[in-house]
Amino acid sequence: MRKRLVIATGLAGVLTVAAAGTGAAPAAADEQNQGTYGRMILVLDSSGSMKEPASGGTTKIQAAKQALDTVIDDLPESADVGMRVFGAMVFGRKQKAACEDTQLVVKPGTGNRDDLKAAVSGYKPYGETPIPVALKRAAEDIGSEGKRSIVLVSDGESTCGDPCPAAQAIADQGIDLQIDVVGLSVSGKARKQLECIAEKGNGTYYDADDAEGIGESISGASERALRPFEFTGTPVKGTPDSADAPLVKAGQYLDTVQTRGERYYRFERTAPGTTVHFGLIFEGESEDLVSNLSPRISVRDESGELRGCRWTVVQSTTYGDGNRLIFGTTHSGDTDPEDPCNTAEELVLSTSSGTGDAGAIAGKPVQLMVYEEPPVSAATLDGLPPQPEAPTWTELTPGDPTDGMVPGSTIANAPIVEDGTYSFDINPGENQVIGVPVGWGQHLEAQFDARMTDAIRKEWAVGAGVELDVIGPLGGDATVDVREAPESWCDTGLLQNCPDAWRTGTLSNTVAYRNRFDTSDATASTGLPGVHYVRVQYGLDENINVPYTLTVKTVGTAGEGEPDYEKVSGLSAPTADLNLNAAAAGSEGSEEDGTDESTGSGSGSGSGSGKDEGSGDTIKLVAGVGGAGLGIAALAAAAVLLIRRRHA
């Protein structure tokens, strides 16, 4: 598939807004993200044809140098990047070593930005185009473990055999390896060959015709290659013994997944009757049939033993590569006002890996979210309306799509948007997430529309592999099945017979206080208003990029069923803008890890509902991402690699 990339807003303006929105990110939190970026190697064509003119009054090599300098300047510090060239040493194809002419000019690493810039400075057009051997050597350069990506930048056809089998052989090494290709002013057979490399390599092909296009294309490829699952929060270390667990307050925290058993944290209630909400989110592993880690809240009984307040089941199946984002939530609320879960001064929060080992997820980052909700009196609770029925789907008509917004890989870096239609594209194995504020009395609907092409119809055959779900404010599964699909939705069993578009959708329960007491997690997760997240996952292995639009809408009367909370100093009542992924710099640290406390209550006030005024969607996106508390390096990368306009 081909894509054209367009930058929508200047980088300087984006970074200015981002810096204003985030403040200084905690160094310790940034350290948690070290090593989470993929390993990438840039493979650059140094053949003689690179001295030919490009659009815009410059040569291809000059345009590529200018673009590469910008890309290197904006690489995240913790991204592991190297550079290889081909066609740089042997002039003619009849010379003995022409088809082995490739050199690793900068080894993959994190402290090599000056070396990368120096290599770009010495980058000159010279010889032939031995793409197959360059790809093979690049795969060796980046090793065999973790997320790996090759970004090939070339202006022509291989002069040393067909590179497509080489790309296929590399892709067969593992699902976490992909080859993205940037074609510089190419057409005909050369373009088809470069497109084939991207297709066989599980990657994406990008067109670039001039200096600006080259920079945008390499940036777009780099973003896909490097973007990790990102998490936010103040570092904290839970303990295997609840007696010496660290004391946490409302906010966001980062820990790691334990190998087995429980990991404990203590929470001191601000006032009797408050409801404490506890959620988690982490990255699963595709080789695990089950990646299991459950949140739990307990109180001590008279004998000092822990008694759980609510049983929670997290979404945990991660078989395949399309369901890697795992999440779950629980709370302390009970319908009996005198129950210890409502009155105990101290609560024990814990994560449990179940009876067995955590498997491949052990040691991975886990984001923990804690929110303390003000009390509701028994009289107020009695006066609340009954729990609403599950909503039914209402027809959504897509509007003119907003281009240039990049979805998050987790809820921590998801842009917060308003009702509307947004244009995206997705690759196999990706999770894409956006956030939408949802208030009392409202539910969220999201509709996915993919324009069907012969290529997509052929690859999808009888199953698209695309799934949508809704995640609640603290990471709970809030998805409601659409029991009767509208007539406009294409039958999932007959995709080959679909007309021009394929449509599906999802919705959540109506936000209502009484939902939290329901035994269904999907219902209980909507017992609290706040930013809800739509997650699109594409789980098939087919090598095809799918452009799509996502239409989101909040349905219902805002504020309906909102309880009258008691006033408690330091606590804020939840609203539609409740963002439990507010900046980590604004979260309250644990008293035993040496971090400073802040004045925030965990409500994330002003952290980006997507309704702020600003110059376009880029500003809204950075306000939302900035509010997510990413490290400055990661934020800079998100900004420079950010905005892409897609043409089907």
Side-chain angles (χ1 to χ4, degrees), residues 364-432:
K364 280 182 170 287
V366 56
Q367 178 176 322
L368 309 174
M369 296 160 285
V370 184
Y371 170 66
E372 187 175 17
E373 184 183 13
V376 171
S377 69
T380 298
L381 180 59
D382 289 341
L384 289 176
Q387 182 178 332
E389 297 288 335
T392 57
W393 181 264
T394 58
E395 195 73 19
L396 293 185
T397 302
D400 293 333
T402 297
D403 287 345
M405 183 169 288
V406 177
S409 56
T410 69
I411 65 175
N413 58 12
I416 313 302
V417 306
E418 299 175 343
D419 290 358
T421 300
Y422 299 89
S423 178
F424 301 123
D425 69 88
I426 191 167
N427 286 332
E430 280 193 301
N431 284 269
Q432 297 187 344

Side-chain angles (χ1 to χ4, degrees), residues 459-482:
E459 292 288 351
W460 280 4
V462 295
V466 173
E467 294 185 14
L468 275 69
D469 46 30
V470 181
I471 305 172
L474 281 99
D477 181 9
T479 308
V480 176
D481 291 333
V482 180

Side-chain angles (χ1 to χ4, degrees), residues 426-487:
I426 191 167
N427 286 332
E430 280 193 301
N431 284 269
Q432 297 187 344
V433 188
I434 64 169
V436 184
V438 182
W440 295 108
Q442 296 181 317
H443 71 270
L444 179 62
E445 293 190 353
Q447 181 171 285
F448 176 101
D449 286 281
R451 188 174 70 83
M452 298 297 290
T453 64
D454 289 341
I456 293 176
R457 194 176 286 109
K458 177 182 177 182
E459 292 288 351
W460 280 4
V462 295
V466 173
E467 294 185 14
L468 275 69
D469 46 30
V470 181
I471 305 172
L474 281 99
D477 181 9
T479 308
V480 176
D481 291 333
V482 180
R483 296 173 182 171
E484 295 185 10
E487 292 183 1

